């Protein structure tokens, strides 16, 4: 007798969302992403508004980002072992309380207290995207339908990366701390609702699975390579974002950076929406290589900057490869992690990308300070090629290595 309860659906977005339970899962998962996509902006606006110091705001935001990246695999491991309901509910309670407390004490402008609270927010930040993808992997028997579901989650990610910062900025225009209240709606309503939806959650592994072993899931064959690829993609994206903003601000046309980044988001979401099940029909390894190749190829065109239209077009075309590459990468991670470590395995991929984004942002900032011309975009091109090389290594199935022949006597 198997613990899985797969649902037979045709590989298309409409088929995936036909069930009210699955539609509710996607909606709750989207709302629960508010901290992931908006907490950084809300923290910077609230702390800088309270202290008048962007240095303190940067320290507070860094505390959140670093601790969230470190805590996410641990929370993913707990979700595999104890079940998503218990972990999501507890994390939602702690994170909501920390965000609302931070908003309340901001008036006191106490830097140490605010940085500590931001750290608590990060420690209670589960990788909601990995949790929802793990649910899809449990629900769907068909590999094509599963990959289509992962593409759908990429669309949700891109949508929230647009909606959440806009909502936070609009609220902060009324009061600097109001953005934190908006972000708190994510765990308070989204994560809590997701925790209550037990019918779509995979069963807890308990003590009988490998999730309780001391060795982390990331050590399983093939997963370190995928994590390295996600690290490279994160560095590529982080460097592009920082350099676009820096050069546009230096030219006194900051709005151009926003337009170019919006072009990237449109290309990524558009590819997932338009191609959808057509992409899912191909093997994940082929989709991953194709998507990363598209991103790297158009990244090579960034140094030949010919103005706003050029940058926006290049970002749009590069973004077309983003959602297919990420969804295929998560699909491979899901398969290689296994049923007993799926959430943790995909969380490690998100963590790798998060650290890569930080690396790309830091190096991009250093280059922006020292290189004033468009040749600074060569850093993005370099990271794109690194990600492509890592992807080529990652798609090699570690279980397909030829056996060595015994030497003849």
């Amino acid at each position: 007798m198997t613990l899985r309860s797969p649902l037979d659906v045709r590989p298309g977005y409409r088929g995936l969302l036909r069930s009210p339970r699955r539609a509710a899962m996607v909606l709750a998962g989207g709302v629960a992403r508010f901290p992931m996509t908006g907490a950084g902006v809300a923290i910077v606006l609230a702390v800088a508004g309270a202290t008048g110091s962007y240095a303190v705001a940067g320290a507070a935001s860094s505390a959140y980002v670093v601790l969230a990246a470190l805590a996410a695999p641990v929370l993913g491991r707990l979700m595999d072992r104890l079940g998503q309901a218990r972990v999501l509910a507890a994390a939602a309670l702690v994170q909501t309380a920390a965000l609302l407390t931070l908003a309340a004490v901001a008036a006191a402008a106490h830097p140490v207290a605010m940085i500590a609270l931001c750290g608590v927010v990060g420690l209670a930040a589960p990788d909601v995207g990995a949790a929802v993808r793990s649910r899809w992997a449990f629900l769907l028997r068909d590999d094509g339908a599963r990959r289509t579901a992962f593409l759908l989650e990429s669309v949700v990610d891109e949508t929230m990366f647009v909606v959440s910062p806009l909502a936070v900025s609009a609220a902060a225009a009324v009061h600097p701390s109001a953005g934190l209240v908006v972000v708190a709606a994510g765990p308070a309503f989204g994560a809590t609702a997701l925790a209550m939806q037990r019918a779509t959650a995979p069963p807890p592994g308990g003590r009988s699975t490998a999730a309780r072993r001391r060795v982390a899931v990331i050590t399983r064959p093939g997963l370190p390579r995928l994590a390295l690829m996600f690290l490279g993609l994160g560095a590529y994206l982080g460097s592009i974002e920082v350099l676009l903003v820096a050069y546009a601000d230096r030219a006194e046309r900051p709005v151009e950076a926003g337009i170019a980044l919006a072009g990237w988001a449109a290309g990524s979401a558009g590819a997932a929406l338009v191609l959808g099940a057509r992409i899912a029909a191909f093997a994940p390894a082929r989709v991953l290589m194709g998507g990363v190749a598209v991103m790297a190829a158009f990244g090579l065109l960034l140094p030949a900057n010919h103005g706003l239209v050029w940058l926006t077009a290049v970002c749009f075309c590069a973004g077309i490869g983003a959602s297919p590459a990420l969804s295929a990468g998560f699909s491979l991670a899901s398969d290689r992690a296994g049923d007993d470590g799926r959430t943790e395995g995909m969380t490690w991929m998100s963590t790798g990308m998060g650290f890569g984004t930080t690396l790309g942002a830091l190096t991009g900032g250093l280059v922006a300070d020292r290189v004033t011309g468009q040749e600074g975009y060569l850093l993005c091109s370099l990271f794109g090629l690194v990600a492509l090389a890592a992807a080529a290594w990652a798609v090699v199935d570690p279980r397909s290595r030829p056996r060595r022949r015994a030497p003849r006597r």
Side-chain angles (χ1 to χ4, degrees):
M1 179 178 177
T2 180
L3 291 175
R4 294 187 60 157
S5 300
L7 301 173
D8 294 322
V9 294
R10 61 194 177 98
Y13 295 155
R14 186 175 299 176
L16 292 174
L17 298 176
R18 184 181 300 158
S19 166
R21 284 181 177 177
R22 280 172 270 145
M25 179 185 73
V26 172
L27 178 60
V31 175
R33 284 170 168 85
F34 259 96
M36 181 186 77
T37 56
V41 176
I43 287 171
V44 169
L45 293 174
V47 175
T51 63
S53 171
Y54 281 100
V56 175
S61 180
S62 298
Y64 163 74
V65 171
V66 172
L67 289 177
L70 294 175
V74 178
L75 294 174
R77 188 183 187 93
L78 290 174
M79 282 191 275
D80 284 329
R81 179 177 175 181
L82 305 176
Q84 292 191 13
R86 294 167 63 181
V87 178
L88 286 173
L93 179 62
V94 173
Q95 197 172 49
T96 302
L99 284 166
L100 294 179
T101 303
L102 178 61
V105 304
H110 197 290
V112 175
M114 287 189 286
I115 292 174
L117 283 169
C118 289
V120 174
V121 174
L123 287 173
D127 189 335
V128 176
V132 178
R133 287 180 174 93
S134 181
R135 290 177 180 237
W136 281 119
F138 165 68
L139 291 171
L140 303 176
R141 176 189 293 120
D142 181 72
D143 288 339
R146 184 182 299 178
R147 291 194 289 270
T148 303
F150 285 5
L151 279 167
L152 174 62
E153 290 304 314
S154 295
V155 175
V156 176
D157 285 336
E158 295 292 350
T159 302
M160 293 310 299
F161 270 111
V162 174
V163 172
S164 184
L166 287 176
V168 167
S169 301
V174 178
H175 190 279
S177 298
L180 295 170
V181 179
V182 172
V183 171
F189 299 105
T192 301
L194 194 62
M196 294 172 63
Q197 296 173 17
R198 296 176 180 267
T200 60
R207 294 182 177 274
S208 61
T209 68
R212 73 180 182 92
R213 297 175 184 171
R214 294 183 179 181
V215 179
V217 171
I218 187 61
T219 61
R220 294 182 179 179
L223 285 180
R225 301 179 184 183
L226 279 173
L228 181 63
M229 187 276 300
F230 273 91
L231 181 74
L233 282 183
Y236 175 64
L237 298 175
S239 62
I240 287 178
E241 182 175 1
V242 169
L243 287 170
L244 280 174
V245 171
Y247 288 150
D249 186 60
R250 184 171 293 162
E252 298 183 351
R253 296 189 297 269
V255 69
E256 292 188 0
I259 295 173
L261 291 173
W264 179 287
S268 179
L273 284 171
V274 175
L275 299 178
R278 296 181 181 88
I279 298 177
F282 294 93
R286 294 178 61 186
V287 176
L288 178 64
M289 278 303 302
V292 178
V294 168
M295 296 170 70
F298 283 98
L300 295 175
L301 300 179
L302 284 170
N305 180 10
H306 297 299
L308 174 60
V309 176
W310 172 269
L311 283 177
T312 304
V314 169
C315 286
F316 176 85
C317 294
I320 290 175
S323 57
L326 293 177
S327 63
F330 279 117
S331 181
L332 287 173
S334 172
D335 293 339
R336 294 177 181 181
D339 291 341
D340 61 344
R342 181 168 283 122
T343 308
E344 182 186 349
M346 288 190 284
T347 298
W348 276 110
M349 301 305 109
S350 299
T351 298
M353 190 164 183
F355 279 120
T357 302
T358 302
L359 172 65
L362 288 174
T363 54
L366 291 174
V367 168
D369 286 340
R370 291 165 174 76
V371 181
T372 59
Q374 61 197 32
E375 60 270 17
Y377 287 115
L378 287 171
L379 176 68
C380 309
S381 303
L382 175 61
F383 279 137
L385 294 175
V386 169
L388 181 61
W393 189 39
V395 298
V396 177
D397 190 343
R399 296 165 294 186
S400 64
R401 296 176 181 175
R403 295 181 180 179
R404 294 182 179 179
R405 296 182 179 179
R408 295 181 179 178
R409 295 181 179 181

